[in-house]
Amino acid sequence: MSDLPADDAVASARLVVAYVSEDGELDHVCDAALEIGRRGARVILYDRDSASAFSDPMPNQWASQAEGAQFHDPLSDQELVKLGREPFAGKVAAAREAGVDAWGWLASDHGTDALVAYARDHGADLKDPGLSERLKGETVSKAVEEAEESAASLAVVLVAPDGATELAAGRL
């Protein structure tokens, strides 16, 4: 992608967390993250669609004994299949087959606050929702604010539906 930040900046990215959807709506974000991944960064596809007000996508205290111990952070494509997320697992598997060190994670809370917290906890160079998400009420500006306030070096990259990227905060 020619619209990615300068090659030397992208080359320094170690870990990218990409805010993606199962329905393909945010495929442009996924594609941009995987392009950075092909240049050497580990990519965690963060599934925004797994968040639910009614259930947690991961086993909880009511699950059978040691069920939670079967899963790691981040999740492999095989673990995502065990959790019943086959379409999302397919995205992770396809990225791995293309040579990207790709993994997945299932959001348990809605919005970018949970994404920023997850990225901060993992020391990621953050891929944030595309510009189109601003129109849907996602708090891109809040994610930028959170990244700027973070002691960890997080970068927020906005990805437009056409694949163009813009470094909104931090540095890669």
Side-chain angles (χ1 to χ4, degrees):
M1 304 193 98
S2 59
D3 290 329
L4 285 173
D7 286 341
D8 56 339
V10 171
S12 68
R14 301 171 327 283
L15 176 63
V16 175
V17 177
Y19 192 68
V20 300
S21 62
E22 291 177 7
D23 63 7
E25 180 182 0
L26 296 176
D27 280 352
H28 59 285
V29 174
C30 185
D31 293 344
L34 296 179
E35 179 64 29
I36 294 172
R38 281 189 275 284
R39 298 176 188 196
R42 173 181 256 196
V43 175
I44 299 175
L45 301 178
Y46 185 94
D47 180 14
R48 69 146 192 208
D49 294 336
S50 61
S52 168
F54 303 107
S55 65
D56 193 332
M58 298 293 291
N60 56 35
Q61 68 266 26
W62 297 287
S64 63
Q65 278 190 323
E67 184 179 9
Q70 297 176 38
F71 304 100
H72 302 92
D73 181 3
L75 297 164
S76 70
D77 52 321
Q78 296 90 359
E79 291 171 314
L80 290 164
V81 169
K82 286 181 188 176
L83 289 166
R85 301 291 180 165
E86 289 87 358
F88 185 57
K91 286 184 180 192
V92 173
R96 293 182 71 80
E97 288 170 13
V100 176
D101 183 14
W103 300 84
W105 190 248
L106 303 173
S108 56
D109 296 309
H110 293 282
T112 57
D113 289 346
L115 168 71
V116 170
Y118 182 85
R120 182 182 301 125
D121 290 347
H122 290 77
D125 305 299
L126 185 66
K127 291 295 272 185
D128 214 290
L131 297 172
S132 63
E133 288 303 291
R134 290 183 190 187
L135 302 175
K136 298 177 147 201
E138 287 297 334
T139 56
V140 172
S141 59
K142 183 154 174 64
V144 169
E145 182 180 311
E146 288 282 329
E148 289 173 342
E149 292 174 1
S150 174
S153 175
L154 295 180
V156 176
V157 179
L158 302 176
V159 183
D162 67 0
T165 59
E166 173 189 346
L167 185 61
R171 61 181 176 77
L172 289 175

